[in-house]
Amino acid sequence: MKKTQKKSEATSWQDDVKRVAAGIRRRVLEHTIRNNGGYLSQACSSAEILATLYVKVMDLGKIKTPLVPKPFPGVPGPDNPDYFTGAAFNGPGPDRDRFFLSPAQYALVLYAVLIETGRMAEEGLAQFNKDGSVVEMIGAEHSPGMETMTGSLGQGISQASGIAMARKRKGEKGRVFIFMSDGEFQIGQTWEALQALSFHMLDNVVIYVDVNGFQCDGKMCNVMDVEPLDRRLEAFGARVFRVNGHDIKKLADAGSVTPDGRPVVVLCDTDAARGIEVLKSRAPKMHYVRFTSVEEKSWYAVALEQLCGAKAHFTPPVDRDSPSPSVLSPLRERIRGEGGIIFGEGKREGPEIVSRVHAKNLVKWAADKPKVLVLSADLTSSTEIDMFRDAYPDRFLSMGIAEQNMLSWASGLAREGFIPFVHTFAVFIYRRAFDQIAMSVSYPNLPVRMIGFLPGITTPGGATHQAIEDVAVMRALPNMTVLDCGDATDVESVLDVIEKINGPVYVRMLRGEIPRLFATPMEFGKARVVSEGKDITVLSSGIMTEEAMRAVQVLQKRGLSVQHMHISTLKPFNDQTVMDAIARSKYGVITMENHTIVGGLGSIIAEQMAERGMDRKLVRIGLRDIYAHGASRNYLLKKYRMDAMALISEIEGLVGKKFGITEDELKETFIAAVHSTAKAEAL
């Protein structure tokens, strides 16, 4: 009787794990089809791992009823008593286990796990990547199931290890479980953390690694191989188990071993297309699925039917060949839904929209420059250098997810006469490798060109991906030049500007589909005059120039004389024409920047005015000493009072007059349509 009972119990938990794993794949695939993109391979490879952890291995607190995610509470701080983390969805307690998701791009998979295990209400997934939601695409510490910020890879293990040490010191019995991706073992910080874990004998730490062999740029063995990973981990003092990541019994056994003084690492060899065979056709680019055609989308719909055992439900694409004038392509419908303008319809017109400007320009520009080398940190297509890689493979260097190493490596190349162009997201340049930049690059004044993408709030990836203080940080470094691109022409001409600079350069770069606002190229140290006037001066940089242009057009119709200037050279700043314009202004000057108001364009102008003893009023528009969260660009601009209407409001305050301008009137003066056919944050 007892044997039968034990067998029944064993079958029960294994059946539950299988059910949860299948539910994870189904939900993520359904979401990917509905949203025309998603992190699908992560669900395929990790479904059994996370399902086993939540169902069998981890001892988590009880959830009485599935929780509905609350709205975004604002960023943490002394003035925000309502802030919370996503720990409640795991039900932590002093004697319970704690779970930490290190690669935050797996957030969608985590949300699916929480739903399948009854910890999050099903309607929570409908909030995914919505403005004002905590169910963010790149999970943050306020997202369901999370309690630390781990979006910048390699930091999660260190944070969780510190928590594990604290728990030991407090006498708490619960263990600390960390889920990692294999790409994180290209990062030096990971190995530093492992070394400390072993030295301090933190055997209350259990790390599960999804070893699916793929990363953003393709196969790991081609980007930066880390094998034999098990032997390397053992050399660092870890207790290592290598298992089939889809064998739930072996996954459970590895997480239930008796502690022996060493941290446990479970290497889970997985299939990045497990359960969705059609996904293999995308190899080796499997990191993020973005459908390229209606036909491709239909293949995944068939896969969803197979997973569900029933017909898939999602909104089908419209018939492009239909003669009905009311039928538009999905893109045009989306643009209208987001308040954009479609050029060529009716009387609305706008500037040229140019696609992948940097990608094409770099290949052309570097053709006769054999000393130009391009370095990538696993974001090759995301930073538009895939065309360069294909055109000049001998001049392309894949450095893996190791920004600190990449910047010091680049300095060595520069010392030997090469011109290295470092490409990655802006936050991963100055936040991850600041000391390397300061000592290896800036101090010796080496010609390392740092091309930082997704500046400011151009990405809804949240605080871990938004470079909101990069100008302040980088312009504080001696010898550093800082440039900010605002349109397609800036992007096309910035390389010519860089070429003439003797020393390191940091560029805030734009990608995807970009409007062409200017006919003349960027000039180093010189502002562009967008409009002339004497009532008030508006100075804008980066994407804020487009917002300023919208507002100025309407204000000029009301009779206001506005001097609007676009600033692309943020350091060094010595443009006398800008200061002359401020001196002529009757009411004062307003700066607009896609950056915190501390240390950026507003601070630059304030410093210049103070040194000259100018008595004009200065108003700074930008993030006001606050972190943003994961949401769309237009939403964030409005939420943090950085859009065209915010500029109008500030001008009204300076002038002392209301102009009666409405949001509807501003919509009629859009400078450009929605800029990208794909989510900006999609890797």
Side-chain angles (χ1 to χ4, degrees):
M1 189 71 178
K2 289 183 179 180
K3 289 184 178 180
T4 304
Q5 186 178 358
K6 286 183 179 180
K7 184 176 180 180
S8 176
E9 290 175 354
T11 304
S12 177
W13 76 258
Q14 291 183 15
D15 288 344
D16 285 344
V17 169
K18 292 176 182 177
R19 174 188 58 77
V20 171
I24 291 169
R25 291 192 179 91
R26 176 182 58 79
R27 288 186 187 278
V28 175
L29 176 56
E30 190 172 33
H31 173 94
T32 301
I33 294 172
R34 186 183 298 113
N35 292 275
N36 206 46
Y39 292 101
L40 185 55
S41 66
Q42 289 82 349
C44 291
S45 59
S46 69
E48 279 79 16
I49 302 171
L50 289 169
T52 302
L53 285 173
Y54 269 84
V55 172
K56 177 64 176 176
V57 177
M58 296 191 298
D59 178 18
L60 300 176
K62 301 296 182 183
I63 302 294
K64 293 182 179 179
T65 58
L67 300 178
V68 177
K70 297 177 182 178
F72 175 63
V75 297
D79 299 323
N80 186 6
D82 299 323
Y83 184 75
F84 55 79
T85 73
F89 291 82
N90 288 331
D95 294 323
R96 301 288 185 180
D97 293 335
R98 301 266 287 277
F99 175 76
F100 296 89
L101 180 75
S102 183
Q105 70 268 24
Y106 280 71
L108 176 58
V109 188
L110 177 58
Y111 303 149
V113 175
L114 295 175
I115 292 173
E116 290 295 326
T117 55
R119 294 179 173 274
M120 184 170 83
E122 192 165 10
E123 57 265 35
L125 201 54
Q127 301 178 24
F128 183 85
N129 206 26
K130 301 294 184 182
D131 294 342
S133 167
V134 297
V135 190
E136 297 191 20
M137 189 191 75
I138 303 294
E141 64 179 61
H142 44 258
S143 298
M146 299 187 68
E147 54 179 298
T148 62
M149 293 291 276
T150 61
S152 182
L153 291 178
Q155 297 187 40
I157 182 175
S158 297
Q159 295 178 46
S161 298
I163 290 170
M165 174 176 278
R167 298 194 78 187
K168 272 220 167 189
R169 294 176 69 89
K170 291 189 296 184
E172 294 184 3
K173 297 179 181 179
R175 295 172 295 173
V176 170
F177 285 85
I178 309 170
F179 177 89
M180 298 182 67
S181 60
D182 46 0
E184 292 183 86
F185 290 85
Q186 294 172 344
I187 300 169
Q189 183 172 350
T190 297
W191 296 99
E192 292 173 4
L194 284 162
Q195 182 173 261
L197 280 169
S198 176
F199 179 78
H200 292 289
M201 302 180 68
L202 294 180
D203 57 4
N204 59 337
V205 172
V206 183
I207 303 169
Y208 277 75
V209 185
D210 180 7
V211 187
N212 64 30
F214 290 93
Q215 56 187 112
C216 189
D217 273 0
K219 288 186 176 181
M220 282 194 61
C221 60
N222 296 329
V223 177
M224 185 62 63
D225 200 4
V226 297
E227 296 293 352
L229 189 51
D230 47 359
R231 286 163 53 189
R232 294 183 180 188
L233 285 163
E234 288 171 349
F236 269 71
R239 184 181 183 186
V240 183
F241 298 90
R242 191 149 202 167
V243 302
N244 179 337
H246 304 293
D247 187 326
I248 59 179
K249 186 178 185 306
K250 290 182 179 178
L251 287 168
D253 290 344
S256 305
V257 296
T258 303
D260 69 350
R262 293 176 293 172
V264 172
V265 180
V266 185
L267 297 178
C268 310
D269 292 308
T270 61
D271 176 2
R274 179 83 170 193
I276 306 177
E277 286 294 309
V278 66
L279 190 56
K280 291 182 178 179
S281 64
R282 301 186 69 91
K285 297 289 289 182
M286 301 180 71
H287 184 77
Y288 187 91
V289 170
R290 186 186 298 118
F291 300 120
T292 57
S293 67
V294 174
E295 181 183 19
E296 184 184 25
K297 193 172 186 177
S298 68
W299 300 341
Y300 287 81
V302 172
L304 179 58
E305 290 179 12
Q306 294 171 345
L307 286 179
C308 297
K311 190 172 181 61
H313 297 289
F314 68 95
T315 304
V318 299
D319 182 4
R320 294 175 183 266
D321 298 323
S322 172
S324 171
S326 63
V327 177
L328 298 168
S329 71
L331 170 61
R332 294 163 78 87
E333 289 284 16
R334 182 175 66 81
I335 290 175
R336 284 210 175 108
E338 295 180 3
I341 290 175
I342 299 176
F343 303 128
E345 292 190 349
K347 296 180 180 180
R348 296 175 177 176
E349 296 180 354
E352 175 189 9
I353 302 295
V354 191
S355 176
R356 287 174 60 83
V357 184
H358 180 65
K360 301 168 186 174
N361 187 55
L362 180 61
V363 170
K364 180 180 178 182
W365 180 84
D368 60 349
K369 300 175 179 64
K371 291 187 178 181
V372 169
L373 305 178
V374 171
L375 285 69
S376 172
D378 192 40
L379 290 170
T380 300
S381 60
S382 301
T383 56
E384 297 191 353
I385 49 177
D386 46 344
M387 289 179 66
F388 183 95
R389 175 200 61 200
D390 297 341
Y392 316 113
D394 59 322
R395 290 197 274 149
F396 174 83
L397 300 177
S398 175
M399 305 304 295
I401 310 172
E403 295 84 1
Q404 295 171 330
N405 176 61
M406 179 169 64
L407 264 300
S408 291
W409 192 293
S411 73
L413 294 171
R415 284 183 182 274
E416 296 302 313
F418 290 97
I419 310 296
F421 278 71
V422 172
H423 286 69
T424 186
F425 292 166
V427 288
F428 302 150
I429 292 177
Y430 73 99
R431 284 187 190 165
R432 294 305 298 260
F434 180 74
D435 190 46
Q436 286 77 9
I437 294 171
M439 293 294 98
S440 297
V441 176
S442 186
Y443 183 85
N445 195 42
L446 294 170
V448 175
R449 284 58 171 112
M450 291 156 279
I451 313 299
F453 286 77
L454 302 183
I457 55 175
T458 55
T459 169
T464 60
H465 282 60
Q466 292 164 340
I468 63 169
E469 70 283 272
D470 54 328
V471 176
V473 170
M474 295 299 273
R475 83 179 186 95
L477 289 172
N479 300 325
M480 186 66 65
T481 294
V482 180
L483 305 174
D484 196 357
C485 294
D487 84 321
T489 303
D490 272 358
V491 173
E492 286 176 344
S493 53
V494 71
L495 299 182
D496 289 329
V497 172
I498 290 173
E499 188 176 14
K500 298 178 178 67
I501 297 173
N502 178 24
V505 182
Y506 172 68
V507 180
R508 303 183 102 208
M509 182 59 77
L510 302 177
R511 70 175 189 177
E513 294 183 353
I514 312 169
R516 187 181 301 285
L517 305 178
F518 307 112
T520 58
M522 176 193 293
E523 291 187 64
F524 181 65
K526 294 184 179 181
R528 284 194 181 88
V529 177
V530 184
S531 67
E532 295 186 353
K534 294 184 179 180
D535 286 338
I536 199 162
T537 295
V538 174
L539 305 175
S540 60
S541 61
I543 64 167
M544 303 304 289
T545 292
E546 186 179 340
E547 288 295 314
M549 290 172 74
R550 293 176 56 215
V552 170
Q553 283 187 15
V554 180
L555 288 165
Q556 286 177 323
K557 293 177 182 178
R558 297 292 203 276
L560 192 69
S561 178
V562 182
Q563 178 84 13
H564 178 201
M565 306 178 81
H566 170 71
I567 313 295
S568 54
T569 304
L570 298 176
K571 186 195 176 190
F573 186 90
N574 50 21
D575 191 342
Q576 186 59 40
T577 63
V578 174
M579 306 316 295
D580 291 343
I582 295 173
R584 292 192 304 268
S585 294
K586 179 179 178 181
Y587 297 104
V589 57
I590 297 178
T591 59
M592 294 185 73
E593 56 191 311
N594 176 30
H595 187 271
T596 172
I597 61 170
V598 179
L601 177 61
S603 293
I604 292 169
I605 298 304
E607 293 163 7
Q608 294 284 327
M609 292 174 67
E611 289 177 355
R612 288 170 169 79
M614 300 177 70
D615 60 355
R616 293 295 186 270
K617 174 71 174 178
L618 168 65
V619 175
R620 295 174 294 169
I621 293 177
L623 285 170
R624 305 193 70 84
D625 196 27
I626 191 171
Y627 288 101
H629 71 290
S632 67
R633 165 178 155 178
N634 289 340
Y635 170 86
L636 293 174
L637 286 173
K638 185 172 183 178
K639 176 179 176 63
Y640 295 108
R641 292 186 51 78
M642 296 167 61
D643 61 356
M645 188 59 78
L647 174 58
I648 291 171
S649 177
E650 294 292 357
I651 289 177
E652 288 176 336
L654 284 181
V655 175
K657 176 184 177 181
K658 294 289 185 180
F659 293 98
I661 298 170
T662 65
E663 291 279 4
D664 288 339
E665 187 174 358
L666 274 178
K667 287 180 180 179
E668 295 297 320
T669 62
F670 260 106
I671 301 302
V674 176
H675 295 167
S676 179
T677 57
K679 292 285 188 181
E681 75 279 4
L683 301 183

